[in-house]
């Protein structure tokens, strides 16, 4: 018995359905550009090349125009985030605002709130903002850029949702890399223990809002504090909420401090000699 071939979309189909919501799309295997397909790899490679070229240009100019670049990026990111939330709310089969998952209260969302302080802040305020970008921010950006399963399991990279996730997390990786390569930020300026806490301040501030929503009637898992999402779910199911929250806070503090620990311990050794 002959098996009927599964119809696969063409590139033209992707362009025509660029803004089509996942509720109206065919299964992922019928669309080019979904997770780990040749088109996804090609687009990701193009993004990596663009990030590398921009970082090279920023390093070559000594970071002279970084504030302007970051300002433009921030404006674009905020506009795209508002557009994405509006589109997600209105474009599906049901018109509704998904309070439990659509709010920008995830670890990578902090980037939008921290970037203005990295651009216009001074002293410890700027250091804290850049510290988030170059620790938890770049970690989250890399994970979501390399493995954007949350979006590309349902969408092609040639779609509004696919473009948004690659652009957003690519911008996060670019900002972290350009900050470090240009000297705009450094892991080596920590000499006191309390300075290890500075990079965590943006995440701690956003976590207050995230947990207010998590433990409201919305009952969500923003910033993964309840450990109910993805591969964290077995841990969350086996532990009470208070323990999950304490554990996640500890992990966030550690992630933010880790890149700065070598410089801190090196300074301690020099002082003790």
């Amino acid at each position: 018995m002959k098996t009927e071939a599964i119809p696969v979309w063409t590139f033209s189909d992707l362009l025509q359905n660029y803004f089509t919501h996942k509720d109206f799309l065919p299964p992922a295997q019928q669309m080019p550009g979904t997770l780990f397909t040749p088109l996804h790899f090609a687009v990701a490679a193009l993004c990596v090349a663009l990030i590398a070229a921009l970082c090279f240009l920023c390093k070559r100019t000594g970071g002279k125009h970084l504030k302007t670049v970051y300002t433009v990026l921030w404006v674009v990111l905020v506009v795209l985030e508002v557009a994405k939330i509006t589109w997600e709310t209105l474009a599906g089969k049901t018109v509704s605002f998904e309070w439990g998952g659509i709010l920008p209260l995830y670890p990578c969302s902090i980037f939008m709130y921290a970037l203005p302080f990295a651009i216009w802040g001074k002293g410890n305020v700027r250091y804290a903002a850049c510290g988030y970008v170059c620790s938890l921010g770049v970690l989250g950006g890399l994970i979501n850029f390399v493995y954007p399963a949350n979006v590309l399991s349902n969408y092609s990279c040639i779609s509004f949702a696919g473009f948004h996730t690659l652009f957003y997390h690519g911008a996060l990786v670019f900002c972290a890399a350009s900050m470090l390569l240009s000297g705009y930020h450094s892991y080596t300026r920590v000499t006191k223990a309390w300075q290890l806490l500075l990079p965590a301040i943006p995440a701690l501030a956003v976590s207050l809002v995230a947990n207010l929503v998590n433990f409201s009637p919305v009952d969500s898992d923003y910033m993964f504090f309840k450990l109910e999402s993805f591969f964290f779910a077995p841990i969350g199911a086996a532990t009470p909420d208070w323990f999950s929250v304490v554990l996640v806070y500890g992990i966030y503090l550690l992630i933010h401090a880790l890149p700065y620990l070598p410089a801190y311990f090196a300074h301690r050794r020099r002082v003790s000699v």
Side-chain angles (χ1 to χ4, degrees), residues 164-186:
H164 180 267
T165 193
L166 289 175
F167 181 82
Y168 187 96
H169 296 104
L172 184 40
V173 173
F174 160 72
C175 284
S178 59
M179 282 177 181
L180 294 170
L181 287 170
S182 66
Y184 195 90
H185 185 68
S186 172

Side-chain angles (χ1 to χ4, degrees), residues 84-266:
K84 184 200 79 169
I85 291 172
T86 305
W87 173 75
E88 283 276 8
T89 301
L90 301 177
K93 285 182 180 177
T94 305
V95 176
S96 63
F97 191 89
E98 189 191 345
W99 289 95
I102 205 170
L103 295 175
L105 294 172
Y106 293 98
C108 291
S109 305
I110 302 165
F111 180 42
M112 285 187 298
Y113 313 127
L115 195 52
F117 295 99
I119 299 167
W120 297 294
K122 304 290 183 185
N124 287 334
V125 171
R126 177 169 136 174
Y127 197 86
C130 293
Y132 155 78
V133 174
C134 295
S135 53
L136 178 64
V138 72
L139 176 63
L142 284 169
I143 291 171
N144 283 282
F145 184 80
V146 172
Y147 185 59
N150 196 36
V151 175
L152 295 195
S153 293
N154 300 300
Y155 292 98
S156 168
C157 56
I158 309 299
S159 67
F160 177 61
F163 163 76
H164 180 267
T165 193
L166 289 175
F167 181 82
Y168 187 96
H169 296 104
L172 184 40
V173 173
F174 160 72
C175 284
S178 59
M179 282 177 181
L180 294 170
L181 287 170
S182 66
Y184 195 90
H185 185 68
S186 172
Y187 294 137
T188 62
R189 297 170 192 162
V190 174
T191 58
K192 300 177 179 65
W194 63 266
Q195 292 174 319
L196 294 170
L197 297 174
L198 286 175
I201 288 175
L204 294 176
V206 175
S207 76
L208 298 177
V209 181
N211 277 322
L212 280 174
V213 179
N214 286 343
F215 293 97
S216 73
V218 171
D219 190 28
S220 54
D221 190 25
Y222 288 117
M223 289 185 70
F224 313 122
F225 274 106
K226 288 186 175 180
L227 296 174
E228 293 175 347
S229 309
F230 309 115
F231 52 85
F232 303 125
I235 304 172
T239 56
D241 284 344
W242 70 265
F243 181 83
S244 298
V245 170
V246 171
L247 178 63
V248 173
Y249 267 120
I251 291 170
Y252 281 144
L253 289 172
L254 180 62
I255 288 172
H256 285 97
L258 271 175
Y260 303 88
L261 286 174
Y264 171 70
F265 286 126

Side-chain angles (χ1 to χ4, degrees), residues 58-79:
C58 289
K59 183 171 172 57
R60 195 168 179 182
T61 58
K64 212 158 119 184
H65 306 295
L66 272 182
K67 285 192 176 185
T68 303
V69 173
Y70 294 160
T71 301
V72 172
L73 262 181
W74 178 64
V75 171
V76 172
L77 290 172
V78 171
V79 169

Side-chain angles (χ1 to χ4, degrees), residues 7-15 25-41 43 152 154-159 162:
V8 177
W9 275 17
T10 64
F11 194 79
S12 175
D13 292 324
L14 294 178
L15 294 178
L25 291 174
Q29 62 267 28
Q30 291 180 228
M31 293 186 294
T34 51
L35 189 66
F36 297 156
T37 56
L39 181 58
H40 170 214
F41 286 131
V43 171
L152 295 195
N154 300 300
Y155 292 98
S156 168
C157 56
I158 309 299
S159 67

